[in-house]
Amino acid sequence: MKQRVAGRQQIAVYGASGHTGRFVVAELRRRGVPVVAAGRDITRLLDCGFDGEAVGIRAALIDDPAALISAFSGCAAVINCAGPFLDTALPVAQAALAAGAHYLDITTEQASAWNVLQQMDRPARRAGVTAVPAAGFFGGLADLVVAAGLGTAREADTIDIAIMLDSWHPTEGTRRTGARNTAVRQVVSGGKLVPLPQPAPEREWDFPAPWHRKSVTALPFSEIPLITQRVKTGELHTWLSQVALDDIRNAATPPPVPVDASGRSAQRFLVEAAIGRHGGQLRISVSGQDIYAVTAPLVCEAALRVLASPPPRGGAYAPSALFDGAAFLRALAPQHLSLTGLPD
């Protein structure tokens, strides 16, 4: 087992020049964490205007394992923000482990999350480090909301996750990921993982104010691999607001536009979990502004918690397998998230 150096707190952000990557670098700096801004294109990294004294700049291509390992050398953790993660997750995770660093990413892609959970668990244990896929808005947030509702329980009759976005102006990276992600999406039905029915089911969902009743369409993301890693349920489905789906399907929808000094867009979101158990139903919701921007505090909080208290034997985990869901969400409120219905 590789011995990691205690107290080595520098974190590498791979894909730092991307839209979400820049938010992650800014959040780490706000928290006083030394950052290595890494990526495939040195010109793009330099053009970001990162402060050279506070942020190191290192370039490495995905197909160059030695360069990736060198880019992550001396780092305690690597946060991968470079999609499509079907192409980047395993190479970056393997290089992070070889450098003795924890690995986290923000994938929305089910196949990518499963790849990390299944293929990197044993190597991470051998390296004595931790791998956490999908620790951002899609995947990780819903996983933590469900964990907050279940507490110590590991089973539910039904779990429905409804995601309300009042708009979705996709980044260039989101467009590329959508084009690359042609894998069949899966849900849980009848207690088993099954393909999402086609055409995708539609329904009405009663969101809290100010959204109220809205049309939603079944569209599962990387929360399915995360939740099923630790929770047994008869039904697990994710629903996305139709207005957001219409935006993302429209090639003419422009990218997000910043409306404040932090670079956030005006987009508002709400993620609600409806958990059916023992004949009752519990609803928990979290809301905030800009799904790309909020990914930064989510994945940075996860990285710093892993550094503060890593699993003693390493391995690959869903966020909810490592963190208390309610405590994690409360740590981000009210600055980043508004919480409703969280159990005491």
Side-chain angles (χ1 to χ4, degrees):
M1 179 183 293
K2 181 172 291 192
Q3 182 65 43
R4 297 180 60 256
V5 179
R8 189 179 58 172
Q9 296 298 304
Q10 184 171 246
I11 294 179
V13 179
Y14 192 75
S17 64
H19 185 82
T20 305
R22 294 195 297 273
F23 281 120
V24 173
V25 170
E27 177 66 14
L28 289 171
R29 293 187 63 186
R30 185 187 71 79
R31 292 172 178 241
V33 179
V35 181
V36 168
R40 291 165 281 198
D41 189 331
I42 187 66
T43 301
R44 288 190 62 181
L45 289 166
L46 292 172
D47 286 347
C48 287
F50 296 130
D51 183 346
E53 294 184 0
V55 180
I57 306 292
R58 302 178 188 174
L61 296 175
I62 286 294
D63 60 358
D64 190 340
L68 285 172
I69 294 169
S70 178
F72 304 150
S73 175
C75 294
V78 175
I79 298 175
N80 182 10
C81 300
F85 294 91
L86 283 167
D87 298 325
T88 71
L90 290 181
V92 175
Q94 289 161 355
L97 269 58
H102 300 294
Y103 171 83
L104 302 94
D105 70 35
I106 56 171
T107 184
T108 68
E109 301 145 77
Q110 290 187 346
S112 169
W114 261 307
N115 286 344
V116 171
L117 290 172
Q118 295 171 358
Q119 297 184 41
M120 298 309 300
D121 183 58
R122 189 171 296 175
R125 291 181 187 276
R126 286 198 299 264
V129 297
T130 304
V132 187
F137 176 83
F138 287 108
L141 183 54
D143 177 47
L144 291 163
V145 171
V146 170
L150 286 174
T152 59
R154 295 293 188 90
E155 54 81 24
D157 299 322
T158 61
I159 301 174
D160 283 285
I161 299 159
I163 301 172
M164 176 65 215
L165 308 181
D166 64 359
S167 64
W168 191 352
H169 290 247
T171 64
E172 178 187 348
T174 297
R175 293 287 194 198
R176 286 199 306 269
T177 295
R180 173 71 176 85
N181 186 22
T182 58
V184 175
R185 296 174 187 260
Q186 292 187 298
V187 297
V188 175
S189 184
K192 298 179 181 179
L193 282 165
V194 299
L196 175 70
Q198 294 298 324
E202 300 176 359
R203 61 175 289 185
E204 299 294 302
W205 188 276
D206 291 317
F207 288 98
W211 291 286
H212 305 297
R213 193 171 181 84
K214 297 292 182 181
S215 297
V216 295
T217 298
L219 190 64
F221 298 96
S222 50
E223 69 285 337
I224 304 297
L226 301 184
I227 294 169
T228 55
Q229 191 196 36
R230 63 181 298 274
V231 176
K232 182 179 180 180
T233 182
E235 302 289 329
L236 173 56
H237 304 277
T238 304
W239 307 86
L240 179 66
S241 57
Q242 188 62 46
V243 63
L245 194 55
D246 290 343
D247 275 349
I248 199 74
R249 287 175 171 171
N250 184 353
T253 301
V257 176
V259 295
D260 61 26
S262 71
R264 295 184 303 175
S265 72
Q267 179 197 54
R268 305 295 304 188
F269 67 80
L270 182 140
V271 176
E272 183 169 55
I275 303 170
R277 191 164 180 266
H278 301 327
Q281 188 185 76
L282 172 68
R283 287 201 176 202
I284 301 174
S285 64
V286 298
S287 58
Q289 180 179 345
D290 192 331
I291 62 175
Y292 298 109
V294 81
T295 286
L298 284 164
V299 72
C300 291
E301 181 73 17
L304 294 177
R305 284 175 179 248
V306 167
L307 288 176
S309 183
R313 293 181 294 176
Y317 299 90
S320 63
L322 294 174
F323 316 123
D324 178 277
F328 190 107
L329 295 173
R330 288 192 175 104
L332 299 183
Q335 182 177 3
H336 303 291
L337 296 173
S338 297
L339 314 177
T340 304
L342 229 62
D344 295 330

